[in-house]
Amino acid sequence: MGANSPNPVRILVVDDDPGDVLMIEEALADSDVDKVIDVVGDGQEAMEFLRREGRHAQAMRPDVILLDLNMPRMDGRQVLGEVKQDEDLRTIPVVVLTTSNADTDILGSYTLQANAYVTKPIDLDDFNDVVHRIDEFFGRVVVLPKRS
């Protein structure tokens, strides 16, 4: 899935729901944007991945992070706060992709400098459409910072 291209878009999916992860992976696989997808199941593992710690010592820096808010151990709000305060990580775009449409979550995410906030649709076709649009935007439209 894009691993053969010299510069595939690297996407880190941070979500504890295996069903949502599968739908995200399938929607991303359906597009022709060249990409590599890494998945972690909670915020603590996300920070280990991003900081290349422990079993993630060989992890590649993602070009974009798709971040769920409600997760065990360390939730998405905490991850977002840490990423955006970290000199080395703050330039990675973070798209909050969550089921919550609460005003407090939306405002809180943007206050923590999320690059976008997207509510996961319930309908499968709508869900696929949303993920395709994110993929298309970050894979084709946006100019992303070079990886360090």
Side-chain angles (χ1 to χ4, degrees), residues 7-67:
N7 290 308
V9 175
R10 298 195 73 90
I11 300 171
L12 176 61
V13 176
V14 185
D15 198 317
D16 66 317
D17 184 322
D20 284 354
V21 168
L22 182 62
M23 289 192 304
I24 291 166
E25 287 179 318
E26 288 177 352
L28 289 171
D30 281 348
S31 87
D32 62 354
V33 173
D34 204 20
K35 72 189 71 66
V36 174
I37 303 166
D38 292 298
V39 177
V40 295
D42 63 54
Q44 189 171 325
E45 189 179 0
M47 294 313 302
E48 291 167 4
F49 183 97
L50 292 166
R51 292 181 175 141
R52 298 177 180 134
E53 296 171 347
R55 67 186 181 107
H56 296 292
Q58 301 302 313
M60 298 289 291
R61 177 186 174 93
D63 294 305
V64 64
I65 300 168
L66 299 184
L67 179 65

